[in-house]
Amino acid sequence: MAPTDETAQVAQHASPFGTTPPSGPPDQDAVARGGRMPRWLPRAMVLALALIAAFQLGSWAFHQLTGLLINILIAFFLALAIEPAVSWMASRGMRRGLATFVVFLAVMIVVAGFITLLGSMLAGQIIKMVEGFPAYLDSVINWINTTFHTELRRVDIQQSLVRSDWLRKYVQNSATGVLDVSAQVLGGLFQLLTIALFSFYFAADGPRLRRALCSVLPPARQAEVLRAWEIAVDKTGGYLYSRGLMALISGIAHYILLQSLGVPYAPVLAVWVGLVSQFIPTIGTYLAGALPMLIAFTIDPWYALWVLIFVVVYQQFENYVLQPKLTAKTVDIHPAVAFGSVIAGTALLGAVGALVAIPAVATLQAFLGAYVKRYDVTDDPRVQGHRRRASGSVLARVRRLWRQPRAEEHGEHGEHGEHGEHGEGSPQNPQ
């Protein structure tokens, strides 16, 4: 049978490897659709670029506004600290803005008085040091001449210092440093003004701020936010007032000691010890006691020793008697937790973090204590730190090994004494 034209055409286009060839040429529309970019890809690329740009812009803005955010954080905690006093005055009929102004005025008067007294003390000590420096220099020169058999004179030393190059460079660097210090002082004053303005706003318009915050939340969330706000106010204000009371007691105690020893500037030193020891965590006690010890050492070295002993004894009294009673209802947190929070706050925000770490942790602890469910602890000796005696412990095994030979020895003596070598009841002569 002769093959048809179609059969011949299929045989002509057959693959040498035995595969079936395509039935016809590929579709041009399908090729065009396969090579075209998907419609969603340009939009995805634009969205990714927009997200990256927004992230970079947000990161840049955050770094630029870090100082302002830290100032706002300090102002917020300061407003929480004075909130109880402002609310108490407002409940007595005083306008909230006026009450906030009165509290701020009192704080400014106390701070200004402390800075004035401390500045006068430092100025007096500097004047005394400058006046007594020539006599001190003469004594040092005489000791050097006597010990090393030299012929130094104060006039020669002064002329060599005046003509030296390092003194000229030091004066130039000091002049440049004065400009830097002036800029830093102005920047610090601006930061204090910013903190004062924000804290005044937070304290004076506290109810309005809470209403604005709660207006964007559902009723259930509003109750939680108000509860957290109340806990933060109680803990922060309690921390400030308890520390202030302990600072007052510490200042009075150290004032009595310094006044009895005749140490100059006793009121200023007492205020210094009270404030620094209470409001600078962890190392505040050592910084507070160093300055009165140094001033007392200039009067009599034994006075410095008495001041050191009193500081150590009073610190123990404060840690174990005074502080637990005053802070039991305000910032009752474990000392290890307080120390760790101070370290973490310092690592995050520096000195500001160290100051706000303890009230922040106390607020968090109180908030968690209000919402975390607790259970009764079982009466297990291990809860009190007592370990159970395990029957298979090493000590029990040693005791058994120690008692076993003695028991066998007593058993053998008993058998020989009562029944003889093969007496009645002997295992070798059973009945």
Side-chain angles (χ1 to χ4, degrees), residues 368-402:
L368 293 178
Y371 287 96
V372 175
K373 186 178 181 180
R374 296 182 180 271
Y375 300 92
D376 295 333
V377 181
T378 180
D379 294 333
D380 196 313
R382 289 172 292 184
V383 176
Q384 304 297 332
H386 304 292
R387 295 180 58 86
R388 292 180 177 179
R389 293 183 179 180
S391 59
S393 62
V394 177
L395 183 60
R397 293 177 181 178
V398 171
R399 288 179 179 176
R400 285 198 301 270
L401 292 175
W402 172 258

Short mmCIF file of all heavy atoms in Angstrom, two decimals, residues 368-402:
data_model
loop_
_atom_site.label_atom_id
_atom_site.label_comp_id
_atom_site.label_asym_id
_atom_site.label_seq_id
_atom_site.Cartn_x
_atom_site.Cartn_y
_atom_site.Cartn_z
N LEU A 368 3.58 44.47 86.36
CA LEU A 368 3.54 43.03 86.17
C LEU A 368 2.91 42.33 87.36
O LEU A 368 2.19 41.33 87.19
CB LEU A 368 4.96 42.50 85.94
CG LEU A 368 5.64 42.93 84.63
CD1 LEU A 368 7.05 42.37 84.56
CD2 LEU A 368 4.84 42.48 83.42
N GLY A 369 3.17 42.84 88.57
CA GLY A 369 2.55 42.24 89.74
C GLY A 369 1.05 42.39 89.76
O GLY A 369 0.35 41.56 90.36
N ALA A 370 0.53 43.41 89.09
CA ALA A 370 -0.92 43.60 89.05
C ALA A 370 -1.59 42.71 88.03
O ALA A 370 -2.79 42.43 88.15
CB ALA A 370 -1.24 45.07 88.76
N TYR A 371 -0.87 42.26 87.00
CA TYR A 371 -1.49 41.50 85.92
C TYR A 371 -1.00 40.05 85.83
O TYR A 371 -1.64 39.25 85.16
CB TYR A 371 -1.23 42.19 84.58
CG TYR A 371 -2.03 43.45 84.41
CD1 TYR A 371 -1.49 44.69 84.72
CD2 TYR A 371 -3.34 43.41 83.96
CE1 TYR A 371 -2.23 45.85 84.58
CE2 TYR A 371 -4.08 44.56 83.80
CZ TYR A 371 -3.52 45.78 84.12
OH TYR A 371 -4.25 46.93 83.98
N VAL A 372 0.12 39.71 86.47
CA VAL A 372 0.63 38.35 86.43
C VAL A 372 -0.01 37.54 87.55
O VAL A 372 0.00 37.96 88.71
CB VAL A 372 2.17 38.33 86.54
CG1 VAL A 372 2.68 36.89 86.61
CG2 VAL A 372 2.79 39.04 85.35
N LYS A 373 -0.58 36.40 87.22
CA LYS A 373 -1.23 35.55 88.20
C LYS A 373 -0.18 34.79 89.00
O LYS A 373 0.77 34.25 88.46
CB LYS A 373 -2.17 34.56 87.51
CG LYS A 373 -2.99 33.72 88.47
CD LYS A 373 -3.94 32.79 87.72
CE LYS A 373 -4.77 31.97 88.70
NZ LYS A 373 -5.70 31.06 87.99
N ARG A 374 -0.35 34.74 90.33
CA ARG A 374 0.57 34.06 91.22
C ARG A 374 -0.14 32.90 91.90
O ARG A 374 -1.34 32.93 92.12
CB ARG A 374 1.16 35.02 92.26
CG ARG A 374 2.02 36.12 91.64
CD ARG A 374 2.61 37.01 92.70
NE ARG A 374 3.43 38.05 92.12
CZ ARG A 374 4.74 37.93 91.86
NH1 ARG A 374 5.36 36.79 92.17
NH2 ARG A 374 5.42 38.91 91.32
N TYR A 375 0.65 31.88 92.29
CA TYR A 375 0.11 30.69 92.93
C TYR A 375 0.79 30.49 94.28
O TYR A 375 1.88 30.99 94.53
CB TYR A 375 0.35 29.46 92.04
CG TYR A 375 -0.28 29.56 90.68
CD1 TYR A 375 0.43 30.06 89.59
CD2 TYR A 375 -1.59 29.15 90.48
CE1 TYR A 375 -0.14 30.16 88.34
CE2 TYR A 375 -2.18 29.24 89.22
CZ TYR A 375 -1.45 29.75 88.16
OH TYR A 375 -2.03 29.85 86.92
N ASP A 376 0.11 29.71 95.15
CA ASP A 376 0.67 29.38 96.45
C ASP A 376 1.83 28.41 96.26
O ASP A 376 1.78 27.48 95.45
CB ASP A 376 -0.39 28.73 97.35
CG ASP A 376 -1.50 29.71 97.69
OD1 ASP A 376 -1.22 30.92 97.69
OD2 ASP A 376 -2.64 29.26 97.96
N VAL A 377 2.90 28.64 97.03
CA VAL A 377 4.09 27.82 96.94
C VAL A 377 3.92 26.59 97.81
O VAL A 377 3.45 26.68 98.96
CB VAL A 377 5.34 28.62 97.35
CG1 VAL A 377 6.60 27.76 97.22
CG2 VAL A 377 5.48 29.86 96.50
N THR A 378 4.27 25.43 97.30
CA THR A 378 4.15 24.20 98.06
C THR A 378 5.10 24.17 99.23
O THR A 378 6.16 24.81 99.22
CB THR A 378 4.43 22.99 97.13
OG1 THR A 378 4.30 21.80 97.88
CG2 THR A 378 5.83 23.09 96.54
N ASP A 379 4.70 23.42 100.27
CA ASP A 379 5.52 23.30 101.48
C ASP A 379 6.61 22.25 101.25
O ASP A 379 6.56 21.12 101.76
CB ASP A 379 4.66 22.91 102.68
CG ASP A 379 3.67 24.02 103.03
OD1 ASP A 379 3.99 25.18 102.73
OD2 ASP A 379 2.60 23.71 103.59
N ASP A 380 7.57 22.60 100.47
CA ASP A 380 8.68 21.71 100.16
C ASP A 380 9.93 22.24 100.83
O ASP A 380 10.21 23.45 100.77
CB ASP A 380 8.89 21.64 98.65
CG ASP A 380 9.76 20.45 98.24
OD1 ASP A 380 10.82 20.26 98.88
OD2 ASP A 380 9.39 19.74 97.30
N PRO A 381 10.71 21.38 101.51
CA PRO A 381 11.94 21.89 102.16
C PRO A 381 12.91 22.54 101.20
O PRO A 381 13.69 23.40 101.58
CB PRO A 381 12.53 20.61 102.79
CG PRO A 381 11.38 19.68 102.95
CD PRO A 381 10.46 19.97 101.78
N ARG A 382 12.85 22.12 99.94
CA ARG A 382 13.78 22.71 98.96
C ARG A 382 13.47 24.16 98.68
O ARG A 382 14.34 24.90 98.21
CB ARG A 382 13.74 21.89 97.67
CG ARG A 382 14.38 20.52 97.81
CD ARG A 382 14.15 19.67 96.59
NE ARG A 382 12.74 19.29 96.46
CZ ARG A 382 12.28 18.48 95.52
NH1 ARG A 382 13.12 17.96 94.63
NH2 ARG A 382 10.99 18.19 95.44
N VAL A 383 12.22 24.61 98.92
CA VAL A 383 11.89 26.02 98.75
C VAL A 383 12.65 26.88 99.75
O VAL A 383 13.09 27.99 99.44
CB VAL A 383 10.36 26.22 98.89
CG1 VAL A 383 10.01 27.69 98.81
CG2 VAL A 383 9.64 25.44 97.80
N GLN A 384 12.83 26.36 100.97
CA GLN A 384 13.56 27.09 102.00
C GLN A 384 15.07 26.90 101.91
O GLN A 384 15.80 27.40 102.75
CB GLN A 384 13.08 26.63 103.38
CG GLN A 384 11.58 26.78 103.59
CD GLN A 384 11.13 28.22 103.52
OE1 GLN A 384 11.90 29.14 103.83
NE2 GLN A 384 9.88 28.44 103.12
N GLY A 385 15.52 26.17 100.89
CA GLY A 385 16.96 25.98 100.74
C GLY A 385 17.49 24.75 101.41
O GLY A 385 18.72 24.58 101.49
N HIS A 386 16.61 23.85 101.93
CA HIS A 386 17.05 22.61 102.57
C HIS A 386 16.97 21.47 101.57
O HIS A 386 15.95 21.28 100.93
CB HIS A 386 16.17 22.30 103.78
CG HIS A 386 16.15 23.40 104.79
ND1 HIS A 386 17.24 23.77 105.53
CD2 HIS A 386 15.13 24.24 105.16
CE1 HIS A 386 16.92 24.77 106.34
NE2 HIS A 386 15.64 25.09 106.12
N ARG A 387 18.05 20.71 101.47
CA ARG A 387 18.09 19.58 100.54
C ARG A 387 17.70 18.30 101.27
O ARG A 387 18.07 18.08 102.42
CB ARG A 387 19.49 19.42 99.94
CG ARG A 387 19.92 20.59 99.08
CD ARG A 387 21.31 20.36 98.53
NE ARG A 387 21.38 19.14 97.75
CZ ARG A 387 21.08 19.06 96.47
NH1 ARG A 387 20.69 20.14 95.82
NH2 ARG A 387 21.18 17.93 95.82
N ARG A 388 16.95 17.46 100.57
CA ARG A 388 16.59 16.16 101.13
C ARG A 388 17.79 15.22 101.10
O ARG A 388 18.60 15.26 100.19
CB ARG A 388 15.45 15.54 100.32
CG ARG A 388 14.13 16.30 100.47
CD ARG A 388 13.07 15.62 99.65
NE ARG A 388 11.77 16.29 99.81
CZ ARG A 388 10.66 15.91 99.18
NH1 ARG A 388 10.70 14.89 98.34
NH2 ARG A 388 9.54 16.55 99.38
N ARG A 389 17.86 14.35 102.12
CA ARG A 389 18.93 13.36 102.16
C ARG A 389 18.57 12.18 101.27
O ARG A 389 17.62 11.45 101.54
CB ARG A 389 19.15 12.87 103.59
CG ARG A 389 19.71 13.96 104.51
CD ARG A 389 19.96 13.39 105.89
NE ARG A 389 20.52 14.40 106.78
CZ ARG A 389 20.85 14.19 108.05
NH1 ARG A 389 20.66 12.98 108.59
NH2 ARG A 389 21.34 15.16 108.77
N ALA A 390 19.30 12.03 100.21
CA ALA A 390 19.03 10.92 99.29
C ALA A 390 19.58 9.63 99.87
O ALA A 390 20.67 9.60 100.45
CB ALA A 390 19.66 11.20 97.93
N SER A 391 18.79 8.55 99.71
CA SER A 391 19.21 7.26 100.25
C SER A 391 20.44 6.72 99.54
O SER A 391 21.20 5.95 100.10
CB SER A 391 18.05 6.24 100.14
OG SER A 391 17.67 6.10 98.77
N GLY A 392 20.61 7.08 98.32
CA GLY A 392 21.75 6.57 97.56
C GLY A 392 22.90 7.53 97.47
O GLY A 392 23.72 7.42 96.56
N SER A 393 22.97 8.50 98.34
CA SER A 393 24.03 9.48 98.28
C SER A 393 25.35 8.88 98.71
O SER A 393 25.42 7.80 99.33
CB SER A 393 23.69 10.68 99.16
OG SER A 393 23.57 10.26 100.50
N VAL A 394 26.42 9.58 98.43
CA VAL A 394 27.75 9.09 98.76
C VAL A 394 27.94 9.01 100.26
O VAL A 394 28.52 8.04 100.80
CB VAL A 394 28.81 10.00 98.10
CG1 VAL A 394 30.21 9.55 98.49
CG2 VAL A 394 28.64 9.99 96.60
N LEU A 395 27.43 10.03 100.99
CA LEU A 395 27.60 10.04 102.43
C LEU A 395 26.87 8.86 103.08
O LEU A 395 27.39 8.22 104.01
CB LEU A 395 27.07 11.36 103.00
CG LEU A 395 27.23 11.57 104.51
CD1 LEU A 395 28.71 11.52 104.88
CD2 LEU A 395 26.64 12.91 104.93
N ALA A 396 25.65 8.56 102.58
CA ALA A 396 24.91 7.42 103.14
C ALA A 396 25.63 6.11 102.87
O ALA A 396 25.68 5.22 103.72
CB ALA A 396 23.50 7.39 102.55
N ARG A 397 26.21 5.97 101.69
CA ARG A 397 26.95 4.75 101.38
C ARG A 397 28.18 4.60 102.26
O ARG A 397 28.50 3.50 102.72
CB ARG A 397 27.35 4.75 99.91
CG ARG A 397 26.17 4.66 98.94
CD ARG A 397 26.66 4.73 97.50
NE ARG A 397 25.52 4.66 96.58
CZ ARG A 397 25.65 4.74 95.27
NH1 ARG A 397 26.87 4.90 94.72
NH2 ARG A 397 24.57 4.70 94.50
N VAL A 398 28.88 5.68 102.50
CA VAL A 398 30.05 5.62 103.38
C VAL A 398 29.65 5.22 104.79
O VAL A 398 30.33 4.42 105.45
CB VAL A 398 30.78 6.98 103.36
CG1 VAL A 398 31.87 7.02 104.42
CG2 VAL A 398 31.39 7.23 101.99
N ARG A 399 28.53 5.75 105.26
CA ARG A 399 28.07 5.38 106.61
C ARG A 399 27.72 3.89 106.69
O ARG A 399 28.02 3.22 107.67
CB ARG A 399 26.87 6.25 106.97
CG ARG A 399 27.24 7.70 107.27
CD ARG A 399 26.00 8.50 107.61
NE ARG A 399 26.35 9.88 107.93
CZ ARG A 399 25.44 10.82 108.20
NH1 ARG A 399 24.15 10.52 108.17
NH2 ARG A 399 25.84 12.05 108.48
N ARG A 400 27.04 3.40 105.63
CA ARG A 400 26.69 1.99 105.65
C ARG A 400 27.94 1.11 105.60
O ARG A 400 28.03 0.09 106.30
CB ARG A 400 25.79 1.67 104.47
CG ARG A 400 24.35 2.17 104.65
CD ARG A 400 23.40 1.45 103.68
NE ARG A 400 23.77 1.67 102.29
CZ ARG A 400 23.31 2.68 101.55
NH1 ARG A 400 22.48 3.56 102.08
NH2 ARG A 400 23.70 2.82 100.31
N LEU A 401 28.92 1.49 104.76
CA LEU A 401 30.16 0.72 104.71
C LEU A 401 30.93 0.78 106.03
O LEU A 401 31.63 -0.17 106.40
CB LEU A 401 31.04 1.24 103.56
CG LEU A 401 30.50 0.97 102.14
CD1 LEU A 401 31.41 1.64 101.11
CD2 LEU A 401 30.40 -0.53 101.87
N TRP A 402 30.81 1.89 106.73
CA TRP A 402 31.51 2.03 108.02
C TRP A 402 30.81 1.21 109.12
O TRP A 402 31.46 0.63 109.97
CB TRP A 402 31.56 3.49 108.40
CG TRP A 402 32.08 3.74 109.81
CD1 TRP A 402 31.38 4.03 110.92
CD2 TRP A 402 33.44 3.70 110.21
NE1 TRP A 402 32.18 4.18 112.00
CE2 TRP A 402 33.50 3.96 111.59
CE3 TRP A 402 34.65 3.42 109.54
CZ2 TRP A 402 34.67 4.00 112.31
CZ3 TRP A 402 35.83 3.45 110.25
CH2 TRP A 402 35.83 3.74 111.62
#
